[in-house]
Amino acid sequence: MYGAVSELPCLEYQAFLLQVSSKAAVHLQSDEAFQDVHVMIFVGFGFLMTFLQRYGFGAVGFNFLLAAFGIQWALLMQGWFHSFENGKILIGVENLINADFCVGSVCIAFGAILGKTSPVQLLILTLFQVTLFAVNEYILVSLLHVKDAGGSMTIHTFGAYFGLTVTRILYRPNLEQSKDKQGSVYHSDLFAMIGTLYLWMYWPSFNSAVSNHGDAQHRAAINTYCSLASCVLTTVAFSSLLQKKGKLDMVHIQNATLAGGVAVGTSAEMMLTPYGSLIVGFLCGILSTVGFVYLMPFLESKLHIQDTCGIHNLHAMPGLIGGIVGAVTAAAATEEVYGKEGLISAFDFTGDYKERTPSVQGGFQAAGIFVSLAMALAGGAIVGAILKLPFLGDPADENCFEDDVYWEVPEDEESGLYHMHDPTLKPATS
């Protein structure tokens, strides 16, 4: 799963011993997929979170910070688990993609605590979450032999429930003092929509980036493409249906339209078929939109889960659906559909796993869901308790969702644009 392009002896980079493998030279598609995934992490996730009217710098800037830090730690953590040979960590383009995947789970968790934490807390979160991600990934991929090319379980389920657990531990009973700042304004929603479009366009590359070149990669791209397209139509329909005046809610369009890509992550490279992908996207569009309208207020009022970006609706629930769809699709696989060699190739039934059957594989796929949930909940509780330490510089309740706590904000922004919708401010009179 992890290719080799250069040798990195733990912390020492040997610039003059760069070795390009034949695999990387032949498969230029890996470089293109890496660029697509890289754009999703730094541009897509960053701009998606700029919807907060006074936290645009924090959304893009802190996402940039934790992602840049996270990929370095991920290269080491994943390298120690997957490509450590003769005292050296072997690094290739596929390792870079997997590091981006790892950081993707951190960006997801960041969405739950957006605007409520300090840069120091975010770096600590990244350090621990990347470590736990690498352990969880090793258990699923190497020990359970689970197939999860698009990361419905390892990235979305783990990242979302980890973040939700952290935000529950960091619950702020007086956050109502900053309630007026949690909304959006016209221009902030437009910036967030830029992130949505980048994520939506590149999601087929995300789900197919580490699939075997050929049939598996083609299936992953096609299944994701169909699911995303179906999800958009359903989201638009239900957003209008659930609003009192039949108007569209931009929050739904920014987020729920992406749920289809999350939900086919595990089964993307399997024989889900385009028709099956359309159904998955259709269902996730409904579930995610309903989650934003009804479930999100319930979680905050009853369970004290203050989910800033609504990651439960975009990543958590669709991630669980993705794991379930993957388990069912794997269990239903047959030689008649895949062909004998195709079945072996699709699920890597070789070596120690050559006697494994599709039904058994389906059981291990299901087990992967529970392992990811357990790691996320336990890890999130521990990390949340660490982040609650009083000396880590978290903002006061009344200063949450404010850029000027940690950023130099231009004066015209502070006096004008940030408060352009403040009803308490009156125009100056001559």
Side-chain angles (χ1 to χ4, degrees):
M1 181 177 177
Y2 289 78
V5 172
S6 67
E7 293 184 304
L8 179 66
C10 290
L11 296 176
E12 182 180 357
Y13 178 65
Q14 296 180 333
F16 300 101
L17 295 180
L18 182 65
Q19 298 177 350
V20 179
S21 69
S22 59
K23 181 178 180 180
V26 173
H27 297 302
L28 297 178
Q29 295 170 335
S30 296
D31 300 315
E32 297 168 0
F34 163 65
Q35 289 294 340
D36 292 349
V37 173
H38 217 46
V39 168
M40 288 180 69
I41 299 302
F42 287 90
V43 179
F45 279 111
F47 276 91
L48 181 63
M49 292 183 276
T50 58
F51 69 94
L52 291 173
Q53 56 186 302
R54 304 186 191 181
Y55 205 70
F57 288 5
V60 175
F62 291 150
N63 183 82
F64 192 13
L65 171 68
L66 64 85
F69 170 59
I71 56 177
Q72 298 174 68
W73 186 232
L75 283 173
L76 292 176
M77 288 303 303
Q78 292 176 314
W80 286 326
F81 279 113
H82 299 285
S83 57
F84 188 74
E85 297 180 12
N86 300 320
K88 298 178 181 179
I89 294 175
L90 306 180
I91 295 181
V93 174
E94 198 164 314
N95 299 78
L96 305 184
I97 295 173
N98 279 293
D100 276 347
F101 282 173
C102 180
V103 168
S105 76
V106 179
C107 295
I108 292 168
F110 176 44
I113 57 176
L114 181 69
K116 299 175 293 186
T117 48
S118 69
V120 174
Q121 287 176 305
L122 292 176
L123 290 174
I124 294 173
L125 171 98
T126 303
L127 180 70
F128 283 102
Q129 188 175 353
V130 166
T131 304
L132 291 170
F133 178 96
V135 174
N136 183 59
E137 181 187 49
Y138 176 75
I139 293 172
L140 265 64
V141 175
S142 299
L143 301 183
L144 300 181
H145 196 62
V146 163
K147 307 298 288 185
D148 191 28
S152 292
M153 295 181 287
T154 55
I155 300 172
H156 301 285
T157 299
F158 172 79
Y161 283 103
F162 183 94
L164 291 170
T165 306
V166 169
T167 196
R168 174 61 185 87
I169 300 297
L170 299 179
Y171 173 67
R172 292 171 177 261
N174 299 317
L175 197 60
E176 288 291 328
Q177 298 178 31
S178 303
K179 196 71 175 179
D180 60 315
K181 304 169 189 174
Q182 294 184 49
S184 63
V185 291
Y186 194 80
H187 69 273
S188 67
D189 270 335
L190 280 177
F191 273 110
M193 196 63 197
I194 293 174
T196 298
L197 292 175
Y198 268 103
L199 290 169
W200 196 90
M201 288 188 300
Y202 289 132
W203 216 296
S205 292
F206 186 92
N207 282 355
S208 63
V210 295
S211 298
N212 292 329
H213 294 279
D215 291 345
Q217 194 169 60
H218 295 157
R219 284 196 298 265
I222 293 170
N223 287 334
T224 307
Y225 185 94
C226 292
S227 182
L228 285 167
S230 174
C231 192
V232 171
L233 298 181
T234 313
T235 299
V236 171
F238 271 78
S239 179
S240 176
L241 182 66
L242 296 175
Q243 297 299 104
K244 292 181 180 179
K245 296 183 179 180
K247 295 183 178 181
L248 300 175
D249 190 329
M250 199 59 171
V251 173
H252 306 159
I253 307 306
Q254 290 164 355
N255 295 278
T257 52
L258 302 172
V262 175
V264 294
T266 298
S267 59
E269 62 182 5
M270 302 178 193
M271 286 287 193
L272 182 60
T273 75
Y275 184 75
S277 302
L278 291 171
I279 294 175
V280 172
F282 174 84
L283 294 176
C284 280
I286 298 173
L287 180 65
S288 185
T289 307
V290 170
F292 275 103
V293 176
Y294 298 111
L295 193 53
M296 191 170 173
F298 172 82
L299 292 177
E300 182 168 354
S301 61
K302 302 300 182 182
L303 301 182
H304 296 166
I305 296 176
Q306 297 164 326
D307 181 7
T308 305
C309 292
I311 65 169
H312 185 256
N313 312 306
L314 172 54
H315 299 281
M317 293 190 295
L320 289 177
I321 290 178
I324 294 169
V325 171
V328 173
T329 307
T334 62
E335 287 189 7
E336 288 73 17
V337 174
Y338 287 81
K340 185 175 182 179
E341 294 300 322
L343 185 65
I344 294 173
S345 175
F347 297 100
D348 196 20
F349 288 158
T350 58
D352 294 338
Y353 307 100
K354 64 181 179 181
E355 300 299 328
R356 181 174 289 190
T357 62
S359 59
V360 172
Q361 179 67 29
F364 278 98
Q365 295 284 146
I369 303 173
F370 294 101
V371 172
S372 293
L373 278 173
M375 290 288 293
L377 297 175
I382 295 171
V383 174
I386 294 173
L387 298 185
K388 214 169 181 180
L389 295 174
F391 53 82
L392 295 180
D394 59 323
D397 292 338
E398 63 271 17
N399 292 329
C400 287
F401 315 111
E402 280 278 11
D403 268 338
D404 57 9
V405 177
Y406 299 109
W407 298 85
E408 289 288 343
V409 179
E411 290 185 5
D412 60 331
E413 296 290 326
E414 292 180 331
S415 60
L417 187 59
Y418 268 20
H419 305 283
M420 62 186 296
H421 290 276
D422 191 339
T424 63
L425 297 180
K426 298 180 180 180
T429 57
S430 57

Coordinates of all heavy atoms in Angstrom, one line a residue, residues 186-266:
Y186 N -23.2 37.5 4.0 CA -23.3 37.2 2.6 C -21.9 36.7 2.0 O -21.8 35.7 1.4 CB -23.8 38.3 1.8 CG -24.2 38.0 0.4 CD1 -25.5 37.4 0.1 CD2 -23.4 38.3 -0.7 CE1 -25.9 37.1 -1.2 CE2 -23.8 38.0 -2.0 CZ -25.0 37.4 -2.3 OH -25.4 37.1 -3.5
H187 N -20.9 37.6 2.2 CA -19.6 37.3 1.6 C -18.9 36.1 2.3 O -18.2 35.4 1.6 CB -18.7 38.5 1.8 CG -18.2 38.9 3.1 ND1 -19.0 39.7 4.0 CD2 -17.2 38.5 3.9 CE1 -18.4 39.8 5.1 NE2 -17.3 39.1 5.1
S188 N -19.1 35.8 3.6 CA -18.5 34.7 4.2 C -19.1 33.4 3.7 O -18.3 32.4 3.5 CB -18.6 34.8 5.7 OG -20.0 34.6 6.1
D189 N -20.4 33.4 3.4 CA -20.9 32.2 2.8 C -20.4 31.9 1.4 O -20.3 30.8 0.9 CB -22.5 32.3 2.8 CG -23.1 31.7 4.0 OD1 -22.5 30.9 4.7 OD2 -24.2 32.2 4.4
L190 N -20.1 33.0 0.6 CA -19.6 32.9 -0.7 C -18.2 32.2 -0.6 O -17.8 31.4 -1.4 CB -19.5 34.2 -1.4 CG -20.8 34.7 -2.0 CD1 -20.6 36.1 -2.6 CD2 -21.3 33.8 -3.1
F191 N -17.4 32.7 0.3 CA -16.0 32.1 0.5 C -16.1 30.6 0.9 O -15.4 29.8 0.4 CB -15.3 32.9 1.6 CG -14.5 34.1 1.0 CD1 -14.9 35.3 1.4 CD2 -13.4 33.9 0.2 CE1 -14.2 36.5 0.9 CE2 -12.7 35.0 -0.3 CZ -13.1 36.3 0.1
A192 N -17.1 30.3 1.8 CA -17.2 28.9 2.2 C -17.7 28.0 1.0 O -17.3 26.9 0.9 CB -18.3 28.8 3.3
M193 N -18.4 28.6 0.1 CA -18.9 27.9 -1.1 C -17.7 27.5 -2.0 O -17.7 26.5 -2.7 CB -20.0 28.7 -1.8 CG -20.7 27.8 -2.8 SD -21.7 26.5 -2.0 CE -22.1 25.5 -3.4
I194 N -16.7 28.4 -2.0 CA -15.5 28.0 -2.8 C -14.9 26.7 -2.3 O -14.5 25.9 -3.0 CB -14.4 29.2 -2.6 CG1 -14.9 30.4 -3.3 CG2 -13.1 28.8 -3.2 CD1 -14.1 31.7 -3.1
G195 N -14.8 26.6 -0.9 CA -14.3 25.3 -0.4 C -15.2 24.2 -0.7 O -14.6 23.1 -1.1
T196 N -16.5 24.3 -0.7 CA -17.4 23.3 -1.1 C -17.1 22.8 -2.5 O -17.0 21.6 -2.8 CB -18.9 23.7 -1.0 OG1 -19.1 24.1 0.3 CG2 -19.8 22.7 -1.5
L197 N -17.0 23.7 -3.5 CA -16.8 23.4 -4.9 C -15.5 22.7 -5.1 O -15.4 21.7 -5.9 CB -16.9 24.6 -5.7 CG -18.3 25.3 -5.8 CD1 -18.2 26.6 -6.6 CD2 -19.3 24.3 -6.5
Y198 N -14.4 23.1 -4.4 CA -13.1 22.4 -4.5 C -13.2 21.0 -4.0 O -12.7 20.0 -4.7 CB -12.0 23.2 -3.8 CG -11.3 24.2 -4.6 CD1 -11.6 25.5 -4.5 CD2 -10.3 23.8 -5.6 CE1 -10.9 26.4 -5.3 CE2 -9.6 24.7 -6.3 CZ -9.9 26.0 -6.2 OH -9.3 26.9 -7.0
L199 N -13.9 20.8 -2.9 CA -14.0 19.5 -2.3 C -14.9 18.6 -3.2 O -14.5 17.4 -3.5 CB -14.6 19.6 -0.9 CG -13.8 20.1 0.2 CD1 -14.6 20.4 1.4 CD2 -12.6 19.2 0.5
W200 N -16.0 19.1 -3.7 CA -16.9 18.4 -4.6 C -16.2 17.9 -5.8 O -16.3 16.8 -6.3 CB -18.1 19.2 -4.9 CG -19.3 18.5 -5.4 CD1 -20.3 17.9 -4.7 CD2 -19.6 18.2 -6.8 NE1 -21.2 17.2 -5.5 CE2 -20.8 17.4 -6.8 CE3 -18.9 18.5 -8.0 CZ2 -21.3 17.0 -8.0 CZ3 -19.5 18.0 -9.2 CH2 -20.7 17.3 -9.2
M201 N -15.4 18.8 -6.5 CA -14.8 18.5 -7.7 C -13.7 17.4 -7.6 O -13.5 16.5 -8.4 CB -14.2 19.7 -8.4 CG -15.2 20.7 -8.9 SD -14.5 22.0 -9.9 CE -13.5 22.8 -8.6
Y202 N -12.9 17.5 -6.5 CA -11.8 16.6 -6.3 C -12.1 15.4 -5.5 O -11.2 14.5 -5.4 CB -10.6 17.4 -5.7 CG -10.0 18.4 -6.6 CD1 -9.8 19.7 -6.1 CD2 -9.6 18.1 -7.9 CE1 -9.2 20.7 -6.9 CE2 -9.0 19.0 -8.7 CZ -8.8 20.3 -8.2 OH -8.2 21.3 -9.1
W203 N -13.3 15.2 -5.0 CA -13.6 14.0 -4.2 C -13.4 12.7 -4.9 O -12.9 11.7 -4.3 CB -15.0 14.1 -3.6 CG -15.0 13.5 -2.2 CD1 -14.8 12.3 -1.8 CD2 -15.3 14.3 -1.0 NE1 -14.9 12.1 -0.5 CE2 -15.2 13.3 0.1 CE3 -15.6 15.6 -0.7 CZ2 -15.4 13.7 1.4 CZ3 -15.8 16.0 0.6 CH2 -15.7 15.0 1.7
P204 N -13.7 12.6 -6.2 CA -13.4 11.3 -6.9 C -11.9 11.0 -6.9 O -11.6 9.8 -6.7 CB -13.9 11.6 -8.4 CG -15.0 12.6 -8.2 CD -14.5 13.5 -7.1
S205 N -11.0 12.0 -7.0 CA -9.6 11.7 -6.8 C -9.3 11.3 -5.4 O -8.4 10.4 -5.2 CB -8.8 13.0 -7.2 OG -8.9 13.3 -8.5
F206 N -9.9 11.9 -4.4 CA -9.7 11.6 -3.0 C -10.0 10.1 -2.8 O -9.2 9.4 -2.2 CB -10.5 12.5 -2.1 CG -10.3 12.3 -0.7 CD1 -9.4 13.2 0.0 CD2 -11.0 11.4 0.1 CE1 -9.2 13.1 1.3 CE2 -10.8 11.3 1.5 CZ -9.9 12.2 2.1
N207 N -11.1 9.6 -3.2 CA -11.5 8.2 -3.0 C -10.8 7.2 -3.8 O -10.8 6.0 -3.4 CB -13.0 8.1 -3.2 CG -13.9 8.7 -2.1 OD1 -13.4 9.1 -1.1 ND2 -15.2 8.7 -2.2
S208 N -10.2 7.6 -4.9 CA -9.5 6.7 -5.8 C -8.0 6.8 -5.7 O -7.3 6.1 -6.4 CB -9.9 6.9 -7.2 OG -9.6 8.2 -7.7
A209 N -7.5 7.7 -4.9 CA -6.0 8.1 -4.9 C -5.1 6.9 -4.6 O -4.1 6.7 -5.2 CB -5.7 9.2 -3.9
V210 N -5.5 6.0 -3.6 CA -4.6 4.9 -3.2 C -5.2 3.6 -3.7 O -4.6 2.5 -3.3 CB -4.4 4.9 -1.7 CG1 -3.7 6.1 -1.2 CG2 -5.8 4.7 -1.0
S211 N -6.2 3.6 -4.6 CA -6.7 2.3 -5.2 C -5.7 1.8 -6.2 O -4.9 2.5 -6.8 CB -8.0 2.5 -5.8 OG -9.0 3.0 -4.9
N212 N -5.7 0.5 -6.4 CA -4.9 -0.1 -7.4 C -5.2 0.5 -8.8 O -6.4 0.6 -9.1 CB -5.1 -1.6 -7.5 CG -4.6 -2.3 -6.2 OD1 -3.6 -1.9 -5.6 ND2 -5.2 -3.4 -5.8
H213 N -4.1 0.8 -9.5 CA -4.4 1.4 -10.8 C -5.1 0.4 -11.7 O -4.7 -0.8 -11.8 CB -3.0 1.8 -11.4 CG -2.4 2.9 -10.7 ND1 -2.7 4.3 -10.8 CD2 -1.4 2.9 -9.7 CE1 -2.0 5.0 -10.0 NE2 -1.2 4.2 -9.4
G214 N -6.1 0.9 -12.5 CA -6.8 0.0 -13.3 C -8.3 0.0 -12.9 O -8.9 1.0 -12.6
D215 N -8.9 -1.2 -12.9 CA -10.3 -1.3 -12.6 C -10.7 -0.7 -11.3 O -11.7 0.0 -11.2 CB -10.7 -2.8 -12.6 CG -10.6 -3.4 -14.0 OD1 -10.6 -2.6 -15.0 OD2 -10.7 -4.6 -14.1
A216 N -10.0 -1.0 -10.2 CA -10.3 -0.5 -8.9 C -10.4 1.0 -8.8 O -11.3 1.6 -8.3 CB -9.4 -1.1 -7.8
Q217 N -9.4 1.6 -9.4 CA -9.3 3.1 -9.4 C -10.4 3.7 -10.3 O -11.1 4.7 -9.9 CB -8.0 3.6 -9.9 CG -7.7 5.0 -9.7 CD -6.2 5.4 -9.9 OE1 -5.7 5.2 -11.1 NE2 -5.5 5.8 -8.9
H218 N -10.7 3.1 -11.4 CA -11.8 3.5 -12.2 C -13.2 3.4 -11.5 O -14.0 4.3 -11.6 CB -11.8 2.8 -13.6 CG -10.6 3.0 -14.4 ND1 -10.2 2.1 -15.4 CD2 -9.7 4.0 -14.4 CE1 -9.1 2.5 -16.0 NE2 -8.8 3.7 -15.4
R219 N -13.4 2.3 -10.9 CA -14.6 2.1 -10.2 C -14.8 3.1 -9.0 O -15.9 3.7 -8.8 CB -14.7 0.7 -9.5 CG -15.0 -0.4 -10.5 CD -15.4 -1.7 -9.8 NE -14.4 -2.2 -8.9 CZ -13.5 -3.2 -9.3 NH1 -13.6 -3.7 -10.5 NH2 -12.6 -3.6 -8.4
A220 N -13.7 3.4 -8.3 CA -13.7 4.4 -7.2 C -14.1 5.8 -7.7 O -14.9 6.4 -7.1 CB -12.4 4.4 -6.5
A221 N -13.5 6.2 -8.8 CA -13.8 7.5 -9.4 C -15.3 7.6 -9.9 O -16.0 8.6 -9.6 CB -12.9 7.8 -10.5
I222 N -15.7 6.6 -10.6 CA -17.1 6.6 -11.1 C -18.1 6.5 -10.0 O -19.1 7.3 -10.0 CB -17.3 5.4 -12.1 CG1 -16.4 5.6 -13.3 CG2 -18.7 5.2 -12.5 CD1 -16.3 4.4 -14.2
N223 N -17.9 5.6 -9.0 CA -18.9 5.5 -7.9 C -19.0 6.8 -7.2 O -20.1 7.3 -6.8 CB -18.5 4.4 -7.0 CG -18.8 3.0 -7.6 OD1 -19.6 2.8 -8.5 ND2 -18.0 2.0 -7.2
T224 N -17.9 7.5 -6.9 CA -17.9 8.7 -6.2 C -18.6 9.8 -7.0 O -19.3 10.6 -6.4 CB -16.5 9.1 -5.8 OG1 -15.8 8.1 -5.1 CG2 -16.4 10.4 -4.9
Y225 N -18.3 9.9 -8.2 CA -18.8 10.9 -9.1 C -20.4 10.8 -9.1 O -21.1 11.8 -9.0 CB -18.3 10.6 -10.5 CG -18.6 11.5 -11.6 CD1 -17.8 12.6 -11.9 CD2 -19.8 11.4 -12.4 CE1 -18.1 13.5 -13.0 CE2 -20.1 12.2 -13.4 CZ -19.3 13.3 -13.7 OH -19.6 14.1 -14.7
C226 N -20.9 9.6 -9.2 CA -22.3 9.4 -9.3 C -23.0 9.7 -7.9 O -24.0 10.4 -7.9 CB -22.7 7.9 -9.7 SG -22.2 7.5 -11.4
S227 N -22.4 9.3 -6.9 CA -22.9 9.5 -5.5 C -23.0 11.0 -5.2 O -24.0 11.5 -4.7 CB -22.1 8.8 -4.5 OG -22.6 9.0 -3.2
L228 N -21.9 11.8 -5.6 CA -21.9 13.2 -5.3 C -23.0 13.9 -6.1 O -23.7 14.8 -5.6 CB -20.5 13.7 -5.7 CG -19.4 13.5 -4.7 CD1 -18.0 13.8 -5.4 CD2 -19.5 14.3 -3.4
A229 N -23.1 13.5 -7.4 CA -24.1 14.2 -8.2 C -25.5 14.0 -7.7 O -26.3 14.9 -7.6 CB -24.0 13.7 -9.7
S230 N -25.8 12.8 -7.3 CA -27.1 12.4 -6.7 C -27.4 13.2 -5.4 O -28.5 13.7 -5.2 CB -27.2 10.9 -6.5 OG -28.4 10.6 -5.8
C231 N -26.3 13.3 -4.6 CA -26.5 14.0 -3.3 C -26.8 15.4 -3.5 O -27.6 16.0 -2.7 CB -25.1 13.8 -2.6 SG -25.2 14.3 -0.8
V232 N -26.3 16.1 -4.5 CA -26.6 17.5 -4.7 C -28.1 17.7 -5.0 O -28.7 18.6 -4.4 CB -25.8 18.1 -5.9 CG1 -26.2 19.5 -6.3 CG2 -24.3 18.1 -5.6
L233 N -28.7 16.9 -5.9 CA -30.1 17.1 -6.2 C -30.9 16.8 -5.0 O -31.9 17.6 -4.7 CB -30.4 16.1 -7.3 CG -29.7 16.3 -8.6 CD1 -30.2 15.3 -9.7 CD2 -29.9 17.7 -9.2
T234 N -30.6 15.8 -4.2 CA -31.4 15.5 -3.0 C -31.3 16.6 -2.0 O -32.3 17.0 -1.3 CB -31.0 14.2 -2.4 OG1 -30.9 13.2 -3.4 CG2 -32.0 13.7 -1.3
T235 N -30.1 17.1 -1.8 CA -29.9 18.2 -0.8 C -30.7 19.4 -1.2 O -31.4 20.0 -0.3 CB -28.4 18.5 -0.7 OG1 -27.7 17.4 -0.3 CG2 -28.2 19.7 0.3
V236 N -30.6 19.8 -2.4 CA -31.4 21.0 -2.8 C -32.9 20.8 -2.6 O -33.6 21.7 -2.1 CB -31.1 21.3 -4.3 CG1 -32.0 22.4 -4.8 CG2 -29.6 21.8 -4.5
A237 N -33.4 19.6 -3.0 CA -34.8 19.4 -2.8 C -35.2 19.4 -1.4 O -36.3 20.0 -1.0 CB -35.1 18.0 -3.5
F238 N -34.5 18.7 -0.5 CA -34.9 18.7 0.9 C -34.6 20.0 1.7 O -35.3 20.3 2.6 CB -34.2 17.5 1.6 CG -35.0 16.2 1.5 CD1 -35.1 15.5 0.3 CD2 -35.8 15.8 2.5 CE1 -35.8 14.4 0.2 CE2 -36.6 14.6 2.4 CZ -36.6 13.9 1.2
S239 N -33.6 20.7 1.2 CA -33.4 22.0 1.8 C -34.6 22.9 1.6 O -35.0 23.6 2.5 CB -32.1 22.7 1.3 OG -31.9 23.9 1.8
S240 N -35.1 22.9 0.4 CA -36.3 23.7 0.1 C -37.5 23.2 0.9 O -38.3 23.9 1.4 CB -36.5 23.7 -1.4 OG -37.7 24.4 -1.7
L241 N -37.6 21.8 0.9 CA -38.8 21.2 1.5 C -38.9 21.5 3.0 O -40.0 21.7 3.6 CB -38.7 19.7 1.3 CG -39.9 18.8 1.8 CD1 -41.2 19.2 1.1 CD2 -39.6 17.4 1.6
L242 N -37.7 21.5 3.7 CA -37.7 21.7 5.1 C -37.7 23.1 5.6 O -37.8 23.4 6.8 CB -36.4 20.9 5.7 CG -36.4 19.4 5.5 CD1 -35.1 18.8 6.0 CD2 -37.6 18.7 6.2
Q243 N -37.6 24.1 4.7 CA -37.6 25.5 5.1 C -39.1 26.0 5.0 O -39.8 25.6 4.1 CB -36.7 26.3 4.2 CG -35.2 26.0 4.3 CD -34.7 26.2 5.7 OE1 -34.5 25.2 6.4 NE2 -34.4 27.4 6.0
K244 N -39.4 26.9 5.9 CA -40.8 27.3 6.0 C -41.3 28.0 4.7 O -42.4 27.8 4.3 CB -41.0 28.3 7.2 CG -40.8 27.6 8.5 CD -41.0 28.6 9.6 CE -40.8 28.0 11.0 NZ -41.0 28.9 12.1
K245 N -40.5 28.8 4.1 CA -40.9 29.5 2.8 C -40.4 28.8 1.6 O -40.5 29.4 0.5 CB -40.4 30.9 2.9 CG -41.1 31.7 4.0 CD -40.6 33.2 4.0 CE -41.2 34.0 5.1 NZ -40.8 35.4 5.1
G246 N -39.8 27.6 1.7 CA -39.4 26.9 0.5 C -38.1 27.4 0.0 O -37.7 27.0 -1.2
K247 N -37.4 28.3 0.7 CA -36.1 28.8 0.2 C -35.0 27.8 0.6 O -35.1 27.0 1.5 CB -35.8 30.2 0.8 CG -36.9 31.2 0.3 CD -36.5 32.6 0.9 CE -37.5 33.7 0.4 NZ -37.1 35.0 1.0
L248 N -33.9 28.0 -0.2 CA -32.7 27.1 0.1 C -31.8 27.7 1.2 O -31.7 28.9 1.3 CB -31.8 27.0 -1.2 CG -32.5 26.4 -2.4 CD1 -31.6 26.5 -3.6 CD2 -32.9 25.0 -2.1
D249 N -31.3 26.9 2.0 CA -30.4 27.3 3.1 C -28.9 27.0 2.6 O -28.6 25.9 2.3 CB -30.7 26.5 4.4 CG -29.9 27.0 5.6 OD1 -28.8 27.5 5.4 OD2 -30.5 26.9 6.7
M250 N -28.1 28.0 2.6 CA -26.7 27.9 2.1 C -25.9 26.9 3.0 O -25.0 26.3 2.4 CB -26.1 29.3 2.1 CG -24.9 29.4 1.2 SD -25.3 29.0 -0.5 CE -23.8 29.4 -1.3
V251 N -26.2 26.8 4.2 CA -25.5 25.8 5.1 C -25.7 24.4 4.5 O -24.7 23.6 4.5 CB -26.0 25.9 6.5 CG1 -25.4 24.8 7.4 CG2 -25.7 27.2 7.2
H252 N -26.9 24.1 4.1 CA -27.1 22.7 3.5 C -26.3 22.6 2.2 O -25.7 21.5 2.0 CB -28.6 22.5 3.3 CG -29.5 22.8 4.5 ND1 -30.8 23.1 4.4 CD2 -29.2 22.8 5.8 CE1 -31.3 23.3 5.6 NE2 -30.3 23.1 6.5
I253 N -26.3 23.6 1.4 CA -25.7 23.5 0.1 C -24.2 23.4 0.3 O -23.5 22.6 -0.5 CB -26.0 24.7 -0.8 CG1 -27.5 24.8 -0.9 CG2 -25.4 24.5 -2.2 CD1 -28.3 23.6 -1.4
Q254 N -23.6 24.0 1.2 CA -22.2 24.0 1.5 C -21.7 22.7 2.0 O -20.6 22.2 1.7 CB -21.8 25.1 2.5 CG -21.9 26.5 2.0 CD -21.9 27.5 3.1 OE1 -21.9 27.1 4.3 NE2 -21.9 28.8 2.8
N255 N -22.5 22.0 2.8 CA -22.1 20.8 3.5 C -22.8 19.5 3.1 O -22.1 18.5 2.7 CB -22.4 21.0 5.0 CG -21.5 22.1 5.6 OD1 -20.4 21.9 5.9 ND2 -22.1 23.3 5.7
A256 N -24.1 19.5 3.1 CA -24.8 18.2 2.8 C -24.6 17.7 1.4 O -24.6 16.5 1.1 CB -26.3 18.4 3.0
T257 N -24.2 18.6 0.5 CA -24.0 18.2 -0.9 C -22.7 17.3 -1.0 O -22.5 16.6 -2.0 CB -23.8 19.4 -1.8 OG1 -22.8 20.3 -1.3 CG2 -25.1 20.1 -2.0
L258 N -21.9 17.3 0.0 CA -20.6 16.5 0.0 C -20.8 15.2 0.7 O -19.9 14.3 0.6 CB -19.5 17.3 0.7 CG -19.2 18.7 0.1 CD1 -18.2 19.4 1.1 CD2 -18.6 18.6 -1.2
A259 N -21.9 14.9 1.3 CA -22.1 13.7 2.1 C -22.0 12.4 1.2 O -21.6 11.4 1.7 CB -23.4 13.7 2.9
G260 N -22.4 12.5 0.0 CA -22.3 11.4 -0.9 C -20.9 10.9 -1.1 O -20.7 9.7 -1.3
G261 N -19.9 11.8 -1.2 CA -18.6 11.4 -1.3 C -18.0 10.7 -0.1 O -17.2 9.7 -0.2
V262 N -18.5 11.1 1.1 CA -18.1 10.5 2.3 C -18.6 9.0 2.4 O -17.9 8.1 2.7 CB -18.6 11.2 3.5 CG1 -18.3 10.5 4.8 CG2 -18.0 12.6 3.6
A263 N -19.9 8.9 2.0 CA -20.6 7.6 2.2 C -20.2 6.5 1.2 O -20.5 5.3 1.5 CB -22.1 7.8 2.1
V264 N -19.5 6.8 0.1 CA -19.0 5.7 -0.8 C -17.5 5.5 -0.6 O -16.9 4.8 -1.4 CB -19.3 6.0 -2.2 CG1 -20.8 6.0 -2.5 CG2 -18.7 7.4 -2.7
G265 N -16.9 6.1 0.4 CA -15.5 6.0 0.6 C -15.0 4.6 0.7 O -14.0 4.2 0.1
T266 N -15.7 3.8 1.6 CA -15.2 2.4 1.8 C -15.5 1.5 0.6 O -14.7 0.7 0.2 CB -15.9 1.8 3.0 OG1 -15.5 2.6 4.2 CG2 -15.5 0.4 3.3

